């Protein structure tokens, strides 16, 4: 068996085409969707992520604003900028690129963003709404995973789903979304006993643990759908410098029924769902302005 490849690039391109049409329609009505991105420090990976998000905005007809601060920036300056953006009706989404320097209170910064502009879906109120099945901005990576599962018509109701990782950004919201879709969900982590027992019974396996090639083919149930959220740059060996996921793709694809590659899988969908949330925010703002 060789797994079906779930192409994140192709699905992303399709969705972004639809987004561009929506953004153009909103702009024609006097409301161009606008995303403000704040970058603190010189982390190279963060700079790449921000650059990709800004480029995605431009291609989709979404206005982007970028605010950069040095590593030693005062938290009060960043919070002041967020307050300004909160008060600006022409800005529909605010994103603070993580991680922040250690002298920042990350929670306080995220909570400072108005809920209706929290297009990353990290504000506690959005998380709470998601947990209760209410309308909310959903964190972009798990939201993108759900779109990928939808694209292959994955049977979620009654399925056994295993999520490896319990982060607030991916693992926890991923579990909530799968539960809402009718799956029976197990969340595994570094303290899980006999991880292989859980992964081998998963119809849907989501790896978001941050360890390169951690999930091997012998941990996968034959025919399972494997979603690789990880993105790691290898440091040693013949593949040093290359990107890989949390799944050992070569061995897993011989067992799985469907699998996402790295790169070209979940990554492009994460940015796409950020753009989706920004356009939705603009649509809501326009509707509100019209009463």
């Amino acid at each position: 068996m060789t797994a079906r490849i779930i192409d994140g690039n192709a699905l992303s391109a399709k969705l972004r085409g639809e987004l561009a049409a929506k953004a153009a329609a909103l702009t024609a009505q006097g409301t161009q969707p606008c995303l403000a991105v704040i970058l603190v420090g010189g982390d190279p990976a963060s700079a790449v992520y921000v650059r990709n998000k800004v480029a995605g905005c431009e291609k989709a007809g979404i206005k982007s604003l970028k605010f950069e601060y040095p590593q030693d920036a005062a938290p009060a300056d960043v919070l002041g900028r967020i307050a300004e953006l909160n008060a600006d009706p022409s800005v529909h989404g605010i994103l603070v690129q993580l991680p922040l320097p250690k002298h920042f209170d990350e929670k306080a910064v995220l909570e400072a963003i108005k809920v209706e502009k929290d297009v990353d879906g990290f504000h506690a109120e959005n998380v709470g709404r998601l947990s209760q099945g209410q309308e909310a901005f959903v964190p972009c990576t798990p939201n993108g995973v759900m779109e990928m599962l939808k694209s292959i018509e994955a049977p979620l109701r009654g399925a056994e789903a295993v999520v490896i990782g319990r982060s607030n950004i991916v693992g926890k919201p991923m579990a909530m979304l799968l539960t809402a879709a009718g799956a029976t969900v197990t969340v595994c982590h570094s303290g899980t006993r006999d991880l292989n027992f859980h992964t081998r019974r998963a119809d849907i396996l989501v790896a978001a643990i941050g360890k390169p090639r951690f999930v091997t083919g012998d941990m996968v149930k034959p025919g399972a759908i494997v979603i690789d959220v990880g993105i790691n740059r290898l440091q040693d060996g013949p593949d040093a410098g290359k990107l890989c996921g949390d799944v050992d793709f070569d061995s897993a694809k011989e067992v799985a029924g469907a699998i996402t590659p790295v790169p070209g899988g979940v990554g492009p969908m994460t940015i796409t769902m950020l753009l989706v949330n920004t356009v939705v925010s603009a649509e809501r703002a326009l509707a509100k302005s019209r009463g």
Side-chain angles (χ1 to χ4, degrees), residues 9-281:
N9 283 325
L11 179 58
S12 179
K14 175 179 177 293
L15 293 174
R16 291 193 195 194
E18 297 170 359
L19 267 183
K22 289 183 178 181
L26 285 165
T27 302
Q29 297 175 72
T31 301
Q32 182 180 18
C34 176
L35 174 67
V37 182
I38 295 174
L39 174 64
V40 185
D43 180 72
S46 291
V48 170
Y49 293 148
V50 167
R51 187 162 61 245
N52 289 341
K53 290 167 183 175
V54 169
C57 284
E58 293 173 355
K59 290 180 181 178
I62 297 171
K63 182 179 178 180
S64 64
L65 304 172
K66 184 169 73 169
F67 302 94
E68 297 186 64
Y69 293 86
Q71 185 75 16
D72 61 353
D77 291 342
V78 175
L79 290 170
R81 176 67 69 184
I82 291 173
E84 292 175 8
L85 296 170
N86 280 337
D88 187 343
S90 70
V91 174
H92 305 105
I94 302 170
L95 179 153
V96 177
Q97 183 64 46
L98 302 179
L100 288 167
K102 292 183 179 180
H103 64 286
F104 276 75
D105 181 343
E106 193 170 281
K107 179 177 179 294
V109 171
L110 296 179
E111 294 296 301
I113 299 170
K114 287 180 71 171
V115 173
E116 56 266 37
K117 297 188 180 188
D118 171 41
V119 289
D120 250 342
F122 294 161
H123 193 287
E125 186 172 331
N126 273 321
V127 175
R129 286 177 174 274
L130 175 61
S131 72
Q132 294 184 355
Q134 298 180 32
E135 183 179 85
F137 281 124
V138 179
C140 301
T141 297
N143 204 11
V145 170
M146 294 304 291
E147 285 294 325
M148 298 180 90
L149 292 172
K150 179 182 175 182
S151 74
I152 63 169
E153 300 181 341
L156 299 181
R157 180 160 296 279
E160 290 281 347
V162 171
V163 179
I164 310 176
R166 54 179 170 177
S167 72
N168 292 332
I169 295 174
V170 180
K172 290 177 182 176
M174 189 78 256
M176 286 192 282
L177 290 170
L178 288 167
T179 299
T184 300
V185 183
T186 301
V187 177
C188 298
H189 46 78
S190 58
T192 299
R193 298 174 183 170
D194 196 359
L195 179 62
N196 288 17
F197 166 78
H198 297 286
T199 62
R200 286 174 184 156
R201 62 183 179 79
D203 302 307
I204 299 162
L205 179 60
V206 181
I209 197 169
K211 296 182 178 180
R213 297 175 177 170
F214 179 80
V215 176
T216 53
D218 62 347
M219 297 171 67
V220 177
K221 177 182 178 180
I225 299 170
V226 178
I227 305 293
D228 190 351
V229 176
I231 182 162
N232 312 280
R233 192 171 296 279
L234 296 170
Q235 302 297 323
D236 305 306
D239 293 333
K242 291 185 178 179
L243 292 176
C244 74
D246 291 351
V247 176
D248 180 36
F249 184 82
D250 289 340
S251 64
K253 71 182 174 68
E254 299 302 323
V255 183
I259 191 170
T260 61
V262 176
V266 175
M269 288 299 297
T270 295
I271 296 178
T272 296
M273 301 318 293
L274 172 68
L275 305 181
V276 167
N277 283 350
T278 302
V279 170
V280 168
S281 182

